[in-house]
Structures are given as C-alpha cells and as structure tokens.
C-alpha cells in the first residue's frame, strides 16, 4: 500500500517544503471561476500539511496552453479563490512555474503558508517530461505529494520526472482514497459485481473490459460501444457507430462470457444526433440510414433490474446514449437513478469518467447518492484495467 500523508509523523512536516501536485483544472471565463469543486476537494490535504507547519507548494495545470504563456489560462484567479477558502496563514501566487523569482518566493515562506505556482503547462517541458524542468520543480521542495488523480496516468514532469527526484513520495487524501476504492473494486469486489460500460470508443475501454469481463458477475454494455457487440452477433445495426476492427474480439468475448454479458435489445434511433428527426424506438434490428442513439425503455428496465439485484458492487463508466441531447438522454438518466437506488439499498457504487459524472449531474442524482465518484476518467479505467499509471508507480519506486 502506498503511503498517504497521514502515515507520516506530524513532526516530519514541520518547516519542510512539500510539493503537492493538485488538479486545479477548473472552468474559468473572463478571469472568473465558474465552478470550484476541484478546489474544495483539495482543502483537506492542503490544510493538513499547513497545520503541521509545512511550507506548501501547489502545482497544477489548467487547460491546454501547449507550452506557451496564455494569460487567460493563468492560475492567478485560483490563488485568489484559495485565499478566501483556506484557513492557513497566507496564500501566495508565484507568477511563474520555475526560475529565480519562484525560488525567492519559496525562500521567503513561513511554516504553514501556501504558494501556488503558475500553470505548469506554460512550460513546454511539462507534457514532455523534460528532465531539466523536472529538476527545477524538484529543487523547490523536500517532499513530494501526489493529489491529482485525473492526470495520474500521464507521464508529465510534475507527475513523474520530478516525483522521481524526491526521496519521500506520498499520496494526498484524494489520491489515497481513489487508490483504496478502485483497488477494492478491482481486486476484491463484494458480489454480485456488476459493471456498466457505455460511451463511444472501445479502445479507451479495452484494458478495463478485458479485466472486468472474467471478473464481473454481469457486464452491461450500452451506448455506442454496444453496437460493435451487436454487429458481432450478426444484428443489423444500420448506421450506428460500429468499430469494425474490434468485431473479431467482440465475437470472442461474446462466446467466452455469453452468460455475463447483457446487451440492449431496443433502441432509440434517428438519422443523426445533431438533427434528431425521425426519432423512433425499435426492437432488434436498426434500419439502414438510422443510428442507435440511446437504449430503449425495455433495455433501461432490464439493466436497472440487474443493478438492483442484491447489494454487492456496481461500477459504471460511459453514458448509455448521446446524453448531451435531451431526446437521447433517457436511458442514461434511468441508469443514474438506478445507481442511486442501488446505493440506498446497500450496494457499493462507483462511477468514473468525465462524461459519466456530467450525466449523473444531468440526472439530478447527487454525489452523496453514489458511494464513490472518481475524479479520473481515463485514469480510473486504466487503474481498473490493471495498467501501470506513472504517477502511482512513482510513489512506490525506490528513490534513485
Ligand atoms: P466518459 O467521459 O464518462 O469516460 P466516454 O467519453 O467514453 O465517457 O463517452 C461519452 C460519449 O459517448 C458522449 O459524448 C456520448 O454522446 C457518447 N455516446 C454514448 N452513446 C452513444 C451512441 N449510441 N452514439 C454515439 N455516441 C454515443
Ligand atoms: Mg469522455
């Protein structure tokens, strides 16, 4: 088990500089933060360190400036918001990622104070995991804390290269919790273990599907990816998004795990998601010229029934239809509500994925009605699939 910040004795933080990789990638327009959920989630880790007399250096990316300084993507508004939210002696903004002024700012800090660095991706070396940038980042602090689960699968300088240069590397509370919950789902799920996978790209879900198909009691497939499996069964799928490359694999899985796989047998179809004309519900085959854009009512009922069977565990990633368009959101909303019901009836429910979490919100299911909402889309799927995540691996590697 990786060490979490609370595993270290309190006095190990006193007057020590702690580099914390956080995820402050919040929506900002015209210099205003629209929604600060990710900042609120970081409070426990930051205040824990500050209260123990650490000098806290926070680093995050914001948007995609691609290695240049984009003023609209500055983290300055985030520093201002943190100053209002945190109960710490002081919050400073560095104005740059690395360099002399940053070094001076760090040297001037008192125990308990917090310094936010400028957007990491203003530096070209961040996404390239450049060793020079890694060294500069690591030279700012004595201890490394990883608390950005959403980017933990990316081998970037602040996630991997810099982390390798610290003798002490720990997980913050957010990452600690993600590792604990997702390992439990992956390695010892309470049964029955049901999995719902929707969304659009099989490749993104491949490792997770490969790991889950043999393990789960039921795998429910919906959304765009279901059509590749239906096509593999020989069902006519019209113009639905079928990934030809994966048909042989889908056939193999259907043969091997026939007992465990549930597919939708009715569909909400239209000519296109953008122009939802000619909407109809069909059972079985989809006519040429039409796409399956949501699961039908019978599929919703069957899937919900399965989720409510017993307690156990349910893991869900990927919307069951084009939930962004109201006409094709019903199936996903039904599943979100069934997830909430399963939770209240005692199941352990986990939801991951950017779009899936957005869909849960659209369904007006609250975060408190899901046992664990993962902050990592790609990262949670890769973790479940047993893939190596650089930002987690580095926490247990022996220092060089
Ligand atoms: P997450 O971000 O939660 O991991 P994905 O990105 O894999 O989820 O999938 C979300 C996308 O899948 C949404 O944009 C949704 O519109 C799309 N989608 C779901 N079902 C279908 C479908 N039947 N046809 C086309 N797109 C679909
Ligand atoms: Mg997505």
């Amino acid at each position: 088990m990786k060490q979490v910040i609370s595993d270290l004795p309190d006095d190990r933080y006193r007057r020590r500089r702690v580099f914390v990789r956080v995820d402050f990638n919040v929506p900002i327009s015209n210099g205003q933060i629209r929604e600060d959920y990710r900042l609120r989630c970081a409070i426990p880790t930051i205040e824990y360190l500050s209260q123990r007399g650490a000098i806290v250096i926070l680093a995050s990316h914001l948007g995609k400036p691609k290695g240049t300084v984009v003023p609209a993507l500055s983290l300055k508004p985030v520093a201002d918001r943190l100053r209002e939210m945190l109960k710490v002696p002081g919050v400073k903004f560095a104005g740059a990622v690395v360099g002399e002024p940053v070094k001076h700012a760090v040297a001037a800090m008192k125990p308990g104070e917090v310094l936010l660095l400028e957007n990491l991706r203003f530096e070209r070396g961040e996404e390239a995991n450049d060793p020079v940038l890694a060294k500069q980042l690591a030279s700012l602090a004595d201890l490394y804390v990883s608390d950005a689960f959403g980017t933990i699968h990316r081998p970037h300088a602040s996630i991997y290269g810099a982390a390798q240069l610290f003798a002490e590397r720990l997980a913050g509370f957010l990452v600690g919790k993600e590792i604990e919950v997702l390992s439990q789902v992956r390695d010892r799920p309470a049964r029955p273990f049901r999995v719902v996978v929707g969304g659009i790209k099989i490749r993104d879900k491949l490792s997770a599907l490969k790991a889950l198909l043999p393990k789960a009691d039921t795998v429910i497939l919906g959304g765009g990816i279901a059509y590749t499996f239906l096509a593999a069964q020989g069902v006519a799928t019209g113009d639905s998004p079928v990934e030809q490359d994966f048909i042989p694999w889908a056939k193999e899985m259907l043969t091997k795990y026939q007992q465990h796989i549930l597919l939708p047998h009715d569909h909400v179809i239209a000519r296109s998601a953008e122009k939802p004309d000619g909407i109809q519900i069909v059972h079985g085959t989809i006519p040429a010229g039409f796409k399956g854009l949501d699961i039908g009512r019978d599929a919703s009922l069957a899937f919900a029934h399965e989720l409510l069977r017993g307690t156990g565990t349910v893991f869900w990633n990927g919307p069951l239809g084009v939930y962004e368009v109201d006409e094709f959101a019903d199936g996903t909303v039904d599943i979100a509500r069934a997830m909430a019901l399963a939770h209240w009836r005692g199941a352990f429910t986990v939801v991951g994925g950017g779009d899936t979490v957005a869909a849960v919100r659209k369904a007006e299911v609250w975060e408190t009605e899901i046992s664990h909402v993962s902050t990592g889309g790609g990262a949670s799927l890769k973790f479940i699939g047993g893939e190596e995540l650089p930002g987690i691996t580095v926490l247990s590697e022996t220092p060089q």
Side-chain angles (χ1 to χ4, degrees):
M1 184 60 196
K2 320 288 176 282
Q3 279 210 309
V4 181
I5 47 175
S6 49
D7 293 337
L8 225 57
D10 286 359
D11 60 10
R12 294 279 284 283
Y13 293 114
R14 179 107 201 108
R15 294 182 176 279
R16 293 185 80 201
R17 299 168 303 167
V18 184
F19 183 97
V20 190
R21 178 49 161 104
V22 285
D23 182 358
F24 286 167
N25 189 22
V26 292
I28 298 185
S29 42
N30 302 324
Q32 296 288 319
I33 298 174
R34 278 186 281 128
E35 176 279 291
D36 63 8
Y37 178 67
R38 287 182 172 174
L39 308 188
R40 304 199 296 273
C41 290
I43 293 176
T45 292
I46 302 172
E47 291 193 346
Y48 183 90
L49 296 169
S50 167
Q51 280 158 12
R52 279 151 190 81
I55 288 160
V56 185
I57 299 158
L58 303 175
S60 176
H61 70 282
L62 175 67
K64 294 183 172 144
K66 301 224 148 86
T68 53
V69 176
V70 178
L73 294 175
S74 169
L75 281 169
K76 168 107 186 4
V78 170
D80 296 338
R81 180 64 60 89
L82 287 176
R83 203 167 290 126
E84 295 164 13
M85 292 193 323
L86 291 170
K87 217 172 136 199
V88 300
V91 176
K92 300 199 167 105
F93 181 59
V97 180
V98 286
E100 285 308 311
V102 179
K103 278 195 203 159
H104 288 134
V106 172
M109 284 174 74
K110 297 186 193 69
E113 285 184 343
V114 172
L115 175 75
L116 176 64
L117 304 182
E118 184 51 287
N119 189 346
L120 287 161
R121 291 190 188 165
F122 283 2
E123 291 290 332
R124 206 168 290 283
E126 166 64 359
E127 289 179 85
N129 192 25
D130 172 46
V132 177
L133 179 66
K135 210 167 164 187
Q136 285 174 301
L137 290 171
S139 73
L140 297 175
D142 308 302
L143 264 85
Y144 180 86
V145 171
S146 164
D147 219 13
F149 191 73
T151 46
I152 212 153
H153 57 306
R154 305 191 191 281
H156 294 170
S158 65
I159 307 276
Y160 192 66
Q164 283 185 305
L165 302 172
F166 286 88
E168 283 169 287
R169 310 161 197 172
L170 303 141
F173 292 130
L174 287 177
V175 162
K177 180 85 198 199
E178 293 274 11
I179 294 177
E180 184 194 316
V181 170
L182 296 174
S183 330
Q184 191 193 321
V185 171
R186 186 185 62 190
D187 305 331
R188 33 179 202 285
R191 296 203 177 257
F193 178 28
R194 284 130 314 164
V195 172
V196 184
V197 184
I200 191 70
K201 271 217 202 99
I202 291 192
R203 187 168 305 285
D204 292 350
K205 327 258 173 193
L206 198 60
S207 74
L209 280 171
K210 282 182 176 164
L212 292 167
L213 279 164
K215 252 183 244 171
D217 296 294
T218 311
V219 176
I220 293 171
L221 300 173
I225 68 161
Y227 296 103
T228 300
F229 286 84
L230 288 167
Q233 281 184 332
V235 174
T237 52
D239 291 353
S240 304
V242 171
E243 293 177 76
Q244 295 295 340
D245 298 358
F246 285 107
I247 288 199
W249 174 76
K251 271 193 184 144
E252 191 191 323
M253 293 302 115
L254 285 165
T255 316
K256 225 167 160 180
Y257 304 110
Q258 191 181 0
Q259 314 288 350
H260 310 283
I261 298 178
L262 271 184
L263 285 162
H265 294 303
D266 60 337
H267 314 273
V268 179
I269 62 166
R271 292 193 183 276
S272 88
E274 294 74 34
K275 273 206 291 154
D277 61 337
I279 296 183
Q280 5 172 345
I281 294 184
V282 292
H283 286 256
T285 59
I286 298 175
F290 285 84
K291 290 179 175 152
L293 295 165
D294 191 10
I295 56 172
R297 184 74 186 146
D298 288 350
S300 274
L301 288 172
F303 293 174
H305 179 77
E306 182 57 30
L307 298 187
L308 294 168
R309 187 170 63 85
T311 51
T313 309
V314 187
F315 174 76
W316 176 26
N317 166 267
L320 296 136
V322 183
Y323 75 99
E324 299 94 330
V325 180
D326 287 350
E327 283 85 346
F328 309 117
D330 287 353
T332 305
V333 167
D334 285 344
I335 296 310
R337 291 187 181 144
M339 288 291 289
L341 256 183
H343 164 84
W344 288 117
R345 291 204 188 150
F348 185 71
T349 58
V350 178
V351 171
D355 285 290
T356 316
V357 173
V360 165
R361 293 202 176 131
K362 179 161 177 160
E364 298 194 26
V365 165
W366 312 127
E367 311 252 329
T368 50
E369 297 181 289
I370 308 277
S371 312
H372 180 77
V373 177
S374 176
T375 50
S380 57
L381 275 181
K382 288 195 156 99
F383 190 96
I384 294 279
E387 285 186 55
E388 205 173 281
L389 307 182
I392 292 182
T393 309
V394 79
L395 297 181
S396 37
E397 274 175 3
T398 24
Q400 292 163 338

